[in-house]
Amino acid sequence: MTLHLYDTATRSLREFVPLVPGQASIYLCGLTVQGPPHIGHVRNWVTTDILRRWLAHNGYEVTYVRNFTDIDDKILIKSAESGEPWWALAYRNERAVRAAEIALGCLPLSYEPRATGHMTEMIELIQRLMDKGLAYESGGDVFFDVAALPSYGSLSGQKIDEMHPAGDSAGDARKHDPRDFALWKGHKPDEPATASWPTPWGRGRPGWHLECSAMATKYLGPTFDIHGGGLDLVFPHHENELAQSVGAGDAFARYWVHNGMVNLSGAKMSKSVGNTVLASEIVKQWRPVEVRYYLGASHYRSNIEFSPETLDEAATAYRRIENFVQRVEGPSEPAAELPAAFVEAMNDDLGVSTALGVIHSRVRDGNHALDESDAEAAQSALADVVAMTSVLGISPLQWADSGSSSDLVSTVDSLVRVALDQRAQARARKDFDTSDAIRDQLTDAGVIVEDTPAGPRWTLKGH
């Protein structure tokens, strides 16, 4: 089976056939940087990173672009509230995005364009739409004429006559139709002069939807393979992107791939609502690799409910993999070929949850082989586990020197080693009562001791 992805536009599972053989292009809607990223944003990045890794594993040369919306109503509002210049606020939060990506093990992007660096492309796109009769100027703003594009609504599956006004220009009396959306916003007297650019229609700044159409085609061309983003962006943002680009004559994205939301207390995590959990705080409570495991474990199109309990469960599951890898003595080279069940799961719309089941099955095989002193079978399982976890970006070997052991773990390890040395001395002098007592005390403290041919090994209960 070759890779199949669920395409929002056709509402079907489609075989991935790239525009250019051997190459794959991805555009992902990035963050509006009025604030730092929360765990919902990071899920989007981890999901796309897994897709990018899987495409690369299958031999594709991947070009991956994600933008920064660094000029927007929300940024100007935050700037006015804080007194911090809008561009400084945007850049500070842009750095927080990059820090979160690095912490979660996401590979570097091919390009990370900023909206403010692409005004020429945006103005040219507006002019193309105006020349085709799909845009009009009104009161200093430029709007897209939704009724003039018969295909509008195709992405979200809506009919124009049944749509409700949506977006940042809803209720604007200057529009010909309530459903029209802003392409360009005229400069307002209470906004900083630096937040405007000259155009044939007067000074101003771009509408949110316009930015992505201009940047996607700038870096990937008028037609590209995959457009990603959260399900909450299907309408109006992605619908409007598609309308602008198709209206201007571009084919735009061939596959639309959307991930589900991260919910908190049943509601979508959102900066505007205020129910967010910052990525920078999460990685202080759980190791980054465990957070990555948690965010990738559920199918990407499903919604997941954030809670400390679910993250603890994910951390425990990951440590089972990690503990097995640490148990095996000898070389740890990845297998030349991935297990067929893993490949089948990943090709079926990135079935990571099923793929993780294959990994845990091989971990159980490997642990059983170690218990039976079958070194060959253990090495075979290890090779499979290393290969599979490497593809998902969660290999314990890759994370070994990247914060996988905290200072607390190091301290606990030192203390346990003291007790194990005392136990070894008791066993050497055949004082088995003392040896058993030490082991029982460790067990009561939540430390499980396992005697192996290579010596005693300890783990925390439940990990």
Side-chain angles (χ1 to χ4, degrees):
M1 179 181 179
T2 56
L3 175 61
H4 285 65
L5 295 170
Y6 184 85
D7 176 29
T8 303
T10 60
R11 285 162 280 284
S12 66
L13 201 63
R14 295 175 54 204
E15 180 181 3
F16 177 69
V17 180
L19 179 68
V20 179
Q23 299 180 23
S25 48
I26 304 172
Y27 183 85
L28 183 67
C29 279
L31 197 61
T32 300
V33 283
Q34 85 267 25
H38 58 63
I39 196 70
H41 299 131
V42 178
R43 186 194 187 190
N44 186 207
W45 307 336
V46 169
T47 292
T48 311
D49 184 67
I50 292 172
L51 171 59
R52 184 250 192 96
R53 288 171 180 264
W54 185 241
L55 288 167
H57 175 80
N58 283 281
Y60 291 103
E61 180 183 345
V62 182
T63 303
Y64 176 20
V65 180
R66 191 203 59 223
N67 72 296
F68 284 110
T69 295
D70 60 341
I71 182 65
D72 182 83
D73 289 348
K74 296 173 182 177
I75 293 173
L76 295 180
I77 291 170
K78 287 283 187 181
S79 171
E81 291 173 349
S82 66
E84 184 178 12
W86 65 269
W87 44 267
L89 180 141
Y91 182 62
R92 176 165 54 81
N93 290 313
E94 181 182 314
R95 288 171 61 109
V97 168
R98 290 199 175 97
E101 279 190 305
I102 292 170
L104 271 295
C106 295
L107 297 173
L109 281 77
S110 305
Y111 306 102
E112 293 182 275
R114 298 186 182 99
T116 53
H118 297 80
M119 294 300 165
T120 299
E121 291 83 359
M122 295 180 206
I123 294 168
E124 290 174 349
L125 178 55
I126 292 174
Q127 189 62 60
R128 290 167 64 192
L129 291 169
M130 295 190 83
D131 292 344
K132 290 177 177 290
L134 291 171
Y136 59 91
E137 188 273 335
S138 180
D141 285 16
V142 181
F143 297 97
F144 185 92
D145 188 349
V146 166
L149 186 71
S151 64
Y152 188 80
S154 62
L155 179 63
S156 58
Q158 300 182 78
K159 296 180 180 179
I160 292 181
D161 293 341
E162 299 174 357
M163 288 182 185
H164 296 289
D168 54 9
S169 60
D172 194 322
R174 296 170 300 166
K175 298 192 291 184
H176 294 174
D177 186 296
R179 294 159 296 195
D180 294 347
F181 58 89
L183 297 170
W184 192 261
K185 300 182 176 186
H187 179 66
K188 299 177 180 62
D190 61 342
E191 294 177 347
T194 54
S196 67
W197 289 260
T199 75
W201 317 285
R203 293 193 67 88
R205 55 189 170 83
W208 176 35
H209 316 299
L210 182 74
E211 299 174 358
C212 285
S213 285
M215 287 186 278
T217 54
K218 164 77 173 183
Y219 292 92
L220 299 176
T223 307
F224 57 93
D225 292 315
I226 298 170
H227 195 310
L231 275 171
D232 57 333
L233 298 181
V234 175
F235 186 84
H237 185 46
H238 288 170
E239 191 75 72
N240 292 348
E241 276 188 65
L242 181 60
Q244 295 161 162
S245 297
V246 170
D250 297 333
F252 210 52
R254 301 172 68 245
Y255 298 82
W256 290 84
V257 178
H258 291 95
N259 64 274
M261 301 294 98
V262 178
N263 294 330
L264 184 62
S265 301
K268 185 196 84 170
M269 208 171 280
S270 169
K271 288 182 290 186
S272 60
V273 174
N275 64 336
T276 62
V277 180
L278 295 181
S280 57
E281 294 302 315
I282 290 291
V283 295
K284 293 178 183 177
Q285 300 175 59
W286 291 271
R287 293 185 299 162
V289 65
E290 294 166 353
V291 178
R292 182 183 174 96
Y293 182 100
Y294 160 74
L295 293 171
S298 298
H299 193 277
Y300 76 89
R301 287 195 284 121
S302 66
N303 292 336
I304 58 177
E305 186 73 23
F306 172 83
S307 71
E309 291 75 19
T310 54
L311 254 165
D312 283 342
E313 291 171 2
T316 297
Y318 178 75
R319 289 169 191 170
R320 292 193 190 103
I321 300 171
E322 187 178 51
N323 289 340
F324 163 65
V325 172
Q326 293 172 351
R327 284 187 71 188
V328 185
E329 298 289 329
S332 52
E333 292 297 318
E337 293 187 10
L338 295 168
F342 180 90
V343 173
E344 182 179 357
M346 293 297 291
N347 279 336
D348 186 10
D349 197 26
L350 291 185
V352 175
S353 54
T354 303
L356 286 172
V358 179
I359 293 175
H360 282 285
S361 177
R362 292 298 283 145
V363 166
R364 288 191 293 272
D365 293 342
N367 279 325
H368 179 72
L370 288 172
D371 293 340
E372 297 296 320
S373 299
D374 187 343
E376 183 177 349
Q379 282 291 337
S380 173
L382 175 65
D384 284 348
V385 169
V386 169
M388 291 185 285
T389 54
S390 295
V391 167
L392 298 179
I394 55 171
S395 169
L397 300 179
Q398 295 169 348
W399 285 87
D401 298 322
S402 303
S404 62
S405 296
S406 65
D407 291 340
L408 177 60
V409 171
S410 298
T411 301
V412 171
D413 181 71
S414 297
L415 294 173
V416 172
R417 290 297 168 191
V418 171
L420 291 178
D421 286 345
Q422 293 174 345
R423 178 172 175 263
Q425 293 170 13
R427 288 166 63 89
R429 62 176 182 266
K430 301 188 185 301
D431 184 357
F432 297 112
D433 288 340
T434 299
S435 170
D436 291 343
I438 292 173
R439 180 171 185 154
D440 291 344
Q441 289 172 346
L442 289 170
T443 301
D444 291 341
V447 178
I448 307 302
V449 177
E450 177 186 13
D451 291 312
T452 74
R457 173 179 171 274
W458 70 270
T459 57
L460 293 176
K461 188 181 297 183
H463 290 185

